[in-house]
Amino acid sequence: MNERIAVVVEDDHDVGDVISKLLDQAGFDVVVASTGADALAVIRERKPDLVTLDLSLPDIDGVEVCRQIRLVSDCYVIVVSGRTAEVDRLIGLEVGADDYLVKPFSMRELQARVAALFRRPRTSEALVSEPGHTTQGTAALRSTEPTGGIAVAALPTLGCRHLTLNRGAREVLVGGVEIDLTRTEFDLLAHLVANSGVVVPREELLRAVWATEFVPDSTHVVDVHLANLRRKLRNAAPDNEWIRTIRGVGFRFDPCCP
């Protein structure tokens, strides 16, 4: 019995059959759903590791399906759509998709995208998982003093707010309130925190989070997910400036609240 489960959400029988065969060959237990309602029911029941999602479904728009998936599942989601407009790509990523593949596509490309997702580290190796236990250090973990350093499984108190990143539980708390992040957003924040105070280029984020040197439209992929992350942090702490954009280079996590 296959260990990993994939749900293929596609109303075109031929396309769905091709995708399902590819994923079956890759070792997935595959379920095909032709409507958004059926897909959501299957996802709630089977708890898949991966979903490929067409946006043009006969009942519920795929963007809404993706939004609802994120309410019940933290699985990888790859949008596979004939919509080529940039706005569709951005919206798909904004509602929680991990990647966006435009039809027509090659099976080798889909296979590579899936493989890249499952190579992604679920947590940053540089973060700590248990009190008193640290992994190989980066700039963020060389200092564990209460003044600006990264504490075990937590960030320092920033002004009157305390931002805690727990690797084991994969949760982020701001002021004691949990922030709902997607897998990608959590991994981006974890990597930036692990390199606190250091500028992290986009290319490094691609390697660390997507486990690849290149993703088509990679600038959009990184920037959109980071914009979503920053918006969520800002909603929880309006005055925070923890993630700064360094023009032409990348991003830096700043543990010092202005």
Side-chain angles (χ1 to χ4, degrees), residues 202-215 218 222:
R202 287 177 175 82
E203 293 77 11
E204 180 178 333
L205 290 172
L206 284 172
R207 290 192 296 270
V209 177
W210 281 270
T212 185
E213 295 289 339
F214 173 76
V215 172
S218 57
V222 174

Side-chain angles (χ1 to χ4, degrees), residues 169-224:
R170 290 190 63 82
E171 68 178 9
V172 173
L173 306 178
V174 174
V177 178
E178 184 174 359
I179 308 303
D180 183 21
L181 301 182
T182 67
R183 285 187 175 195
T184 300
E185 291 160 2
F186 182 93
D187 291 344
L188 284 169
L189 180 60
H191 192 76
L192 289 171
V193 168
N195 294 277
S196 181
V198 177
V199 179
V200 180
R202 287 177 175 82
E203 293 77 11
E204 180 178 333
L205 290 172
L206 284 172
R207 290 192 296 270
V209 177
W210 281 270
T212 185
E213 295 289 339
F214 173 76
V215 172
D217 296 325
S218 57
T219 298
H220 285 314
V221 170
V222 174
D223 290 354
V224 170

Side-chain angles (χ1 to χ4, degrees), residues 93-95 185 223-232:
L93 295 172
E94 285 174 357
V95 297
E185 291 160 2
D223 290 354
V224 170
H225 283 297
L226 267 171
N228 292 338
L229 170 61
R230 293 167 104 169
R231 185 183 68 250
K232 291 179 180 180

Side-chain angles (χ1 to χ4, degrees), residues 143-185:
S143 173
T144 55
E145 305 88 6
T147 56
I150 302 301
V152 172
L155 298 181
T157 298
L158 306 177
C160 64
R161 297 183 185 275
H162 192 212
L163 192 157
T164 303
L165 190 150
N166 186 312
R167 186 184 77 166
R170 290 190 63 82
E171 68 178 9
V172 173
L173 306 178
V174 174
V177 178
E178 184 174 359
I179 308 303
D180 183 21
L181 301 182
T182 67
R183 285 187 175 195
T184 300
E185 291 160 2

